[in-house]
Amino acid sequence: MTDATRKDLAAELLDRYGHRSLAEEAEIQLDGEPHHLFQLLELAALTDGRADPGTAVRTFVTLRDNRWSTAGHVRHAGPGQITRALRDAGYPEGDAGRISTALTDAALHLLDDHGGDLGGLREDAGRDPERERELLGHFAEVGSGIVDAFCREAQPVWPELSPCADKAVLDAAGRLGLGEDTRSLRSLARDDREFVRLTDALLRVRHEEDGYAEVRDRAARRA
């Protein structure tokens, strides 16, 4: 595939599915404040399941409306209440229980070990991406999928993570012919924020019937 074709596909993805990243759609401020970083972790966990990205954003907004969007409030709520909220939002039982356990355990350990602040975890890791991933993975039920999703969404505020694209994103990129190399994919975006919008567009297109074909057809008309 030529560079021009790849650029047309990326432009069409951004036009159709990437006007906003998932964090921007959820109105999470990307400023590195403790409660906003925890909200990014929540959103990342909600995308690590069978629910589509739109459902993940709507479910996050429900949790925030219930004030379950800081480490302290999530620990106080406990996994039972959060599991019920996820089930009500349409999450399968297994995903609802796993994600709620991940969030409540992350909240507990963040409060005990890092003052409730993922920024503290970052400093404890020396801003080393591999060490950051390792510390995030210490939370119960926070598997590689949630860690990768958090790193994907946190790139604009933790630039040492860039470029980051998780398995689901690279799978979608491969199906469109964009390749499955993160750095090559990053070259199609102007900056880290646009790159996150591009990766999230690839997440969205995976859940759209005929989404891949539509993007290819519309990109071909750009040529």
Side-chain angles (χ1 to χ4, degrees):
M1 180 177 290
T2 67
D3 286 346
T5 300
R6 294 177 71 247
K7 288 177 181 177
D8 285 341
L9 284 167
E12 191 55 47
L13 276 166
L14 288 166
D15 280 354
R16 179 70 179 85
Y17 297 105
H19 287 291
R20 295 184 293 176
S21 70
L22 295 179
E24 289 168 335
E25 184 180 346
E27 297 183 347
I28 298 172
Q29 295 185 45
L30 300 173
D31 57 9
E33 289 297 315
H35 57 298
H36 294 143
L37 287 172
F38 189 79
Q39 288 172 8
L40 284 179
L41 180 63
E42 280 188 306
L43 182 61
L46 291 166
T47 65
D48 184 49
R50 284 162 282 184
D52 63 83
T55 298
V57 169
R58 289 190 296 273
T59 304
F60 165 77
V61 171
T62 297
L63 296 182
R64 185 172 59 198
D65 288 346
N66 283 318
R67 297 178 58 82
W68 301 334
S69 58
T70 68
H73 287 154
V74 165
R75 182 176 68 173
H76 181 73
Q81 290 192 83
I82 294 174
T83 297
R84 286 192 291 274
L86 268 57
R87 283 202 307 260
D88 290 346
Y91 278 76
E93 182 70 34
D95 285 350
R98 175 180 57 82
I99 292 169
S100 64
T101 299
L103 290 176
T104 51
D105 191 77
L108 173 65
H109 285 283
L110 273 175
L111 289 162
D112 287 348
D113 300 335
H114 305 289
D117 182 8
L118 281 161
L121 179 149
R122 182 191 189 197
E123 296 308 321
D124 289 345
R127 302 196 177 195
D128 176 77
E130 292 305 314
R131 181 62 176 155
E132 288 166 354
R133 289 174 176 273
E134 181 182 344
L135 291 179
L136 287 165
H138 286 170
F139 305 145
E141 299 296 336
V142 177
S144 60
I146 295 177
V147 172
D148 286 346
F150 173 79
C151 292
R152 181 189 71 228
E153 297 299 323
Q155 290 176 87
V157 285
W158 291 12
E160 67 271 16
L161 295 171
S162 182
C164 176
D166 56 2
K167 183 179 182 301
V169 166
L170 293 176
D171 175 69
R175 290 188 62 177
L176 277 172
L178 293 173
E180 298 184 34
D181 176 74
T182 300
R183 292 194 178 277
S184 177
L185 191 62
R186 172 64 181 83
S187 70
L188 298 172
R190 291 172 297 182
D191 54 33
D192 284 346
R193 294 207 177 201
E194 185 171 89
F195 181 56
V196 176
R197 293 184 188 119
L198 179 61
T199 61
D200 287 351
L202 286 162
L203 284 182
R204 292 181 177 109
V205 77
R206 294 176 74 243
H207 290 270
E208 291 290 332
E209 186 176 359
D210 299 326
Y212 293 113
E214 179 186 354
V215 168
R216 289 192 196 98
D217 290 346
R218 292 169 66 98
R221 291 198 290 269
R222 286 175 175 263

